Amino acid sequence: MKKGPWTPTEDEVLLEHVRRHGEGNWNAVERLSGLARCGKSCRLRWANHLRPDLKKGSFTPEEEFLILRLHSQLGNKWARMAAQLPGRTDNEIKNYWNTRLKRRQRAGLPVYPPELQDAFRFDRRHLRQGTPLQLSATNHHSQLPPLLDLVSFCPQPEVALPPTNSLPCHFSFFEFPLPFYSPAPTIPASSLLPEPQMWPCSYDVNPLPMVSPPRALKMELPSNQLYTDPVIRGGGGSGNCRLMEALLQETQLQDPEDIRTGELLPLPAADEQAVRWGELFSVSDYDCGDANAGIRIRETSSEFNMGSKSTSEALSNTMKDMSELLDMPVAANAQLSVVLNEGGAVEVEQQLDPLQGRNVDPWPWNSMPGIC
DNA sequence: AAGGATTTCAACCGCTCAAAG
DNA sequence: ACTTTGAGCGGTTGAAATCCT
């Protein structure tokens, strides 16, 4: 089998093969077309270069910004990002990201640009304070391109938040960072959510597929927009859990074995770290400075009864992802919520699932495999 | 202009997963 | 239930292009 760069002749043979036989069955290319390339190589060549719907040229500023936003939520999920960028390949996005990452690291700049961080803070501040959102056409948040969250905010001239803090946030089963504001017209929440009153503000459901936490957890950056240090401490960057990795980094624990049942995980600098934790987990009551307080990760009974089958499946998938992400059992109908206890420390707690009566190990960390 | 440094990008590799046998 | 096969994903590599001194 030949390796290395493709020649125009080989390209033509492959194109002709696809014209005759269609995409797929790449291992048959050699037999059917006499091309001395392995199936893998053919698939890659077709997907990255010969496909007719490919967009050539460098990324537009809009595409670049979308990549940043997607990466802030998905991590290094290039294929999933590519699915949101028509005509772009995962390879292109990956190359772009790696180049950009290297450049910004060298320049000592944060991975995510300030405008993303601003939007993120903006979301959280208003949710925490329960103050009305004053959005206008000139508000830069409303100009962000749509993101593919299950739930994204639909900007309106004025959106009144409920008087309560509504904690923890109920619109994300796993309390991942809040969605950004999206100008996209979306499906009304009432059509998918049987209990819209649970929603802390006027959210709509984006029809695009739900983004769930990634499963593969190698070499990935923290997804938190405010997490500005891309360098994985401890070297190697081979952590097996992005969330857990961030947790350990923030708590400066060297070994997951150090985390025990009921233990408070101290954070080095209460205020700032608490805020970052709150934002990492999308919780908003992080204003207090009690040194004995911390963050809890709870598994509670389900507060969600999703109406549509597809949404239920999405939820189920998310729970599965979540279970793998945290390496702990998560009941299909459980709601995971991350509660930041006031400032300064991290406490991780998991409750039994009262609906199913399952006796879930409240401290799965104890049996957690090594992080590296 | 030369040569080293850096960037870009195409391609490969190892791995996982799902479907078929 | 097990093995094989095909497809896809993400990390890495290395050659070519570009930049910089």
Side-chain angles (χ1 to χ4, degrees):
Chain A
M1 289 294 180
K2 192 184 167 196
K3 284 186 181 182
W6 281 63
T7 65
T9 311
E10 288 176 314
D11 282 348
E12 191 47 50
V13 172
L14 183 57
L15 277 169
E16 182 58 27
H17 173 87
V18 173
R19 268 193 290 268
R20 285 177 182 230
H21 307 284
E23 289 184 54
N25 204 6
W26 298 111
N27 285 328
V29 173
E30 185 202 6
R31 179 166 42 85
L32 296 174
S33 307
L35 190 58
R37 293 277 184 173
C38 69
K40 243 178 160 177
S41 185
C42 292
R43 187 187 70 82
L44 204 68
R45 184 67 185 172
W46 170 258
N48 288 346
H49 299 281
L50 302 179
R51 255 168 50 201
D53 58 331
L54 284 180
K55 206 186 276 182
K56 304 287 181 186
S58 30
F59 289 109
T60 65
E62 289 76 20
E63 286 175 321
E64 290 179 357
F65 198 69
L66 184 53
I67 289 171
L68 292 179
R69 296 181 67 205
L70 289 168
H71 190 275
S72 74
Q73 293 213 327
L74 293 170
N76 297 357
K77 296 296 168 190
W78 313 119
R80 288 168 79 175
M81 292 162 77
Q84 304 300 318
L85 288 152
R88 299 299 187 180
T89 70
D90 52 354
N91 214 28
E92 266 182 300
I93 296 171
K94 179 169 58 181
N95 284 333
Y96 167 78
W97 181 264
N98 288 337
T99 301
R100 180 182 179 282
L101 181 65
K102 212 184 289 179
R103 200 162 44 219
R104 291 184 74 90
Q105 274 182 321
R106 196 173 22 243
L109 295 168
V111 178
Y112 301 109
E115 53 266 36
L116 269 181
Q117 300 184 12
D118 288 347
F120 194 67
R121 289 195 192 94
F122 185 83
D123 286 344
R124 187 125 314 95
R125 187 169 56 250
H126 283 279
L127 281 172
R128 184 176 81 249
Q129 295 171 350
T131 53
L133 293 173
Q134 302 288 342
L135 298 177
S136 69
T138 57
N139 188 320
H140 73 278
H141 298 116
S142 63
Q143 295 166 9
L144 294 174
L147 199 54
L148 66 168
D149 301 78
L150 169 70
V151 180
S152 36
F153 188 75
C154 188
Q156 296 163 13
E158 265 197 37
V159 179
L161 287 171
T164 132
N165 277 349
S166 303
L167 298 176
C169 306
H170 290 292
F171 45 81
S172 178
F173 321 112
F174 173 45
E175 313 292 348
F176 256 11
L178 285 172
F180 295 105
Y181 298 110
S182 164
T186 53
I187 300 171
S190 56
S191 68
L192 285 177
L193 294 167
E195 298 178 76
Q197 70 275 13
M198 290 179 54
W199 296 66
C201 54
S202 199
Y203 280 80
D204 284 355
V205 176
N206 192 315
L208 290 168
M210 182 176 183
V211 176
S212 52
R215 294 178 197 216
L217 296 157
K218 320 165 213 168
M219 284 289 292
E220 290 181 359
L221 297 170
S223 65
N224 178 15
Q225 284 82 353
L226 295 183
Y227 196 87
T228 57
D229 178 8
V231 179
I232 304 297
R233 273 179 260 166
S238 55
N240 64 356
C241 174
R242 188 171 60 179
L243 178 61
M244 193 57 199
E245 185 176 281
L247 179 84
L248 293 176
Q249 284 179 8
E250 294 299 326
T251 57
Q252 296 186 335
L253 288 173
Q254 298 304 308
D255 189 338
E257 297 296 322
D258 292 344
I259 307 175
R260 298 187 208 293
T261 303
E263 191 173 12
L264 275 175
L265 306 179
L267 290 172
D271 293 341
E272 180 194 350
Q273 297 292 357
V275 168
R276 289 174 66 184
W277 268 102
E279 290 175 338
L280 177 63
F281 291 117
S282 292
V283 290
S284 49
D285 57 341
Y286 48 71
D287 281 340
C288 302
D290 182 352
N292 294 322
I295 293 173
R296 296 166 191 236
I297 296 176
R298 288 184 184 151
E299 183 184 356
T300 63
S301 63
S302 172
E303 295 182 53
F304 262 101
N305 288 308
M306 306 303 287
S308 75
K309 182 167 180 285
S310 61
T311 313
S312 295
E313 283 171 0
L315 172 58
S316 169
N317 288 336
T318 297
M319 285 307 178
K320 193 175 159 207
D321 285 347
M322 186 60 207
S323 179
E324 292 177 17
L325 188 67
L326 289 176
D327 194 26
M328 65 182 187
V330 176
N333 68 338
Q335 182 193 12
L336 281 173
S337 61
V338 177
V339 178
L340 176 64
N341 223 347
E342 300 105 16
V346 176
E347 181 182 355
V348 184
E349 175 186 314
Q350 188 180 228
Q351 298 174 346
L352 300 183
D353 180 348
L355 286 188
Q356 298 203 350
R358 292 194 324 162
N359 194 4
V360 179
D361 176 8
W363 279 92
W365 317 112
N366 294 333
S367 57
M368 191 168 206
I371 202 94
C372 298

